[in-house]
């Protein structure tokens, strides 16, 4: 059992603290990479079920959130075989709110899970982060998850964005026809659920739910209203292909009208790192 501790500015990262049980051939799959806070971890089971491949998650867990995060992670690993097999976990925190580095114990010991106290509050409402009004250094987590992935191709995303089912074999099949990505990235359209319900797994289901007004095109976030608007979105919805296939419907270059666009995309792993001086409220 090994992990690495790294200083990143005023933050400390414990990389590969809990490793996925399954070893994969890096040329035959790709990695879903994400940064998260402790309140977002319940999304991992759905993502793992859809992704069916390696997942690399960095969890921001300052102060008492560290133990909370570990308890949630251990619970997810014990209750879901896909998570146990495929998800590798990293944790990071402000240096001033970190556990002792020199005597860092195993995740189970740090979480203080013992036979004498087998139950605990799994999803507490309050967090150390929220009570301390700490910003969420998402880009540090994204870079850790990205740099510790081992596959040639990655998708860097957020946990509340679910990929469509079986996208890995469809993308690898696309690459056989197009060749290696090189400097290209493959942008995935983003949509937002309206209300509660089961998210669509395929484009066919997506289009049907849009027609029923259960889903709409995502315009972005509270701090960036146009970040997720993608070119020719309506045209993309009209393109119908079998759900077991994947294709390129539009090629876009960096242009002035897309300056606010912050897409999620599949790319080779050696993409430029994210700006770690930027933070966001998770």
């Amino acid at each position: 059992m090994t992990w690495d501790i790294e200083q990143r500015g005023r933050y400390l990262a414990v990389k590969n603290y809990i490793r996925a049980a399954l070893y994969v051939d890096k040329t035959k799959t790709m990695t879903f990479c994400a940064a998260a806070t402790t309140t977002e971890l319940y999304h991992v089971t759905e993502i793992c079920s859809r992704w069916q491949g390696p997942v690399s998650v960095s969890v921001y867990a300052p102060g008492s959130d560290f133990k909370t995060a570990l308890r949630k992670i251990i619970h997810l690993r014990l209750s879901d075989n896909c998570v146990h097999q495929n998800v590798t976990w990293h944790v990071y925190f402000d240096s001033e709110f970190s556990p002792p580095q020199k005597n860092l114990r195993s995740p189970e010991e740090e979480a203080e899970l013992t036979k004498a106290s087998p139950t605990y509050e799994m999803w507490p409402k309050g967090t150390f982060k929220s009570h301390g009004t700490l910003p969420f250094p998402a880009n540090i987590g994204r870079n850790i998850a990205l740099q510790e992935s081992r596959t040639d191709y990655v998708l860097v995303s957020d946990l509340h964005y679910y990929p469509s089912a079986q996208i890995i074999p469809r993308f690898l099949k696309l690459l056989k026809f197009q060749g290696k990505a090189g400097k290209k990235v493959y942008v995935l359209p983003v949509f937002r659920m309206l209300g509660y319900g089961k998210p669509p797994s395929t484009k066919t289901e997506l289009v049907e739910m849009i027609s029923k007004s259960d889903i709409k095109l995502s315009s972005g976030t509270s701090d960036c209203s146009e970040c997720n608007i993608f070119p020719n979105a309506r045209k993309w919805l009209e393109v119908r292909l079998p759900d077991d296939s994947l294709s390129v419907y539009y090629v876009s270059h960096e242009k002035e009208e897309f300056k606010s666009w912050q897409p999620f995309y599949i790319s080779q792993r050696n993409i430029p790192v994210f700006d770690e001086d930027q933070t966001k409220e998770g």
Side-chain angles (χ1 to χ4, degrees):
M1 182 183 297
T2 59
W3 54 79
D4 299 315
I5 299 178
E6 179 186 31
Q7 186 81 45
R8 302 181 78 103
R10 65 185 185 91
Y11 297 94
L12 276 173
V14 184
K15 301 183 296 184
N16 300 302
Y17 195 27
I18 304 176
R19 294 178 183 268
L22 188 65
Y23 175 81
V24 297
D25 184 336
K26 68 175 186 177
T27 64
K28 295 182 179 179
T29 187
M30 57 186 181
T31 304
F32 184 102
C33 305
T37 62
T38 58
T39 59
E40 299 172 307
L41 302 187
Y42 66 93
H43 291 294
V44 172
T45 52
E46 179 68 23
I47 287 173
C48 192
S49 174
R50 291 164 172 262
W51 189 251
Q52 291 296 310
V55 178
S56 179
V57 180
S58 299
V59 185
Y60 176 56
S64 58
D65 290 351
F66 178 58
K67 282 183 172 55
T68 301
L70 294 181
R71 291 174 177 179
K72 291 183 178 184
I73 291 168
I74 292 168
H75 171 77
L76 291 170
R77 283 171 56 86
L78 291 174
S79 61
D80 190 286
N81 187 58
C82 181
V83 173
H84 176 77
Q85 294 289 326
N86 294 290
V87 184
T88 293
W89 303 87
H90 325 278
V91 291
Y92 65 111
F93 21 68
D94 311 68
S95 296
E96 60 182 312
F97 303 127
S98 67
Q101 302 172 53
K102 294 182 179 179
N103 300 313
L104 188 65
R105 300 170 297 174
S106 71
E108 291 79 8
E109 290 175 308
E110 289 291 346
E112 296 180 351
L113 299 181
T114 66
K115 292 182 179 179
S117 56
T119 60
Y120 43 82
E121 180 62 39
M122 284 304 307
W123 310 109
K125 293 181 179 179
T127 65
F128 185 93
K129 174 193 173 299
S130 62
H131 288 306
T133 61
L134 299 173
F136 175 31
N139 283 350
I140 291 178
R142 289 173 179 142
N143 286 338
I144 294 168
L146 170 64
Q147 292 164 352
E148 294 305 310
S149 64
R150 293 292 177 262
T151 55
D152 292 338
Y153 288 89
V154 297
L155 167 60
V156 182
S157 184
D158 292 337
L159 288 188
H160 53 273
Y161 290 115
Y162 295 174
S164 58
Q166 297 297 317
I167 194 170
I168 293 177
R170 290 186 286 139
F171 178 75
L172 295 179
K173 184 178 179 181
L174 174 66
L175 283 183
K176 287 184 178 180
F177 292 98
Q178 294 214 329
K180 290 186 177 181
K183 294 184 178 180
K184 295 179 292 186
V185 299
Y186 295 82
V187 175
L188 303 179
V190 176
F191 296 84
R192 183 163 66 90
M193 290 281 293
L194 300 176
Y196 299 96
K198 185 179 183 300
S201 296
T202 65
K203 184 175 180 179
T204 299
E205 293 177 4
L206 172 73
V207 172
E208 182 179 351
M209 292 181 72
I210 288 176
S211 69
K212 296 178 180 178
S213 299
D214 293 328
I215 288 179
K216 75 170 189 175
L217 286 166
S218 178
S219 57
T221 61
S222 59
D223 57 349
C224 182
S225 61
E226 298 181 350
C227 285
N228 295 147
I229 296 177
F230 61 98
N232 290 341
R234 294 296 175 185
K235 179 181 176 182
W236 181 85
L237 288 170
E238 295 172 0
V239 176
R240 302 299 174 87
L241 292 169
D243 287 331
D244 62 352
S245 65
L246 199 65
S247 68
V248 176
Y249 88 101
Y250 181 79
V251 177
S252 173
H253 300 278
E254 189 174 355
K255 296 180 181 179
E256 183 67 21
E257 61 263 36
F258 301 143
K259 63 181 180 180
S260 297
W261 192 23
Q262 296 181 9
F264 294 102
Y265 51 81
I266 297 171
S267 69
Q268 290 189 308
R269 190 168 68 92
N270 58 350
I271 58 174
V273 296
F274 295 88
D275 182 359
E276 296 191 359
D277 290 330
Q278 290 188 354
T279 60
K280 77 169 188 177
E281 184 54 40

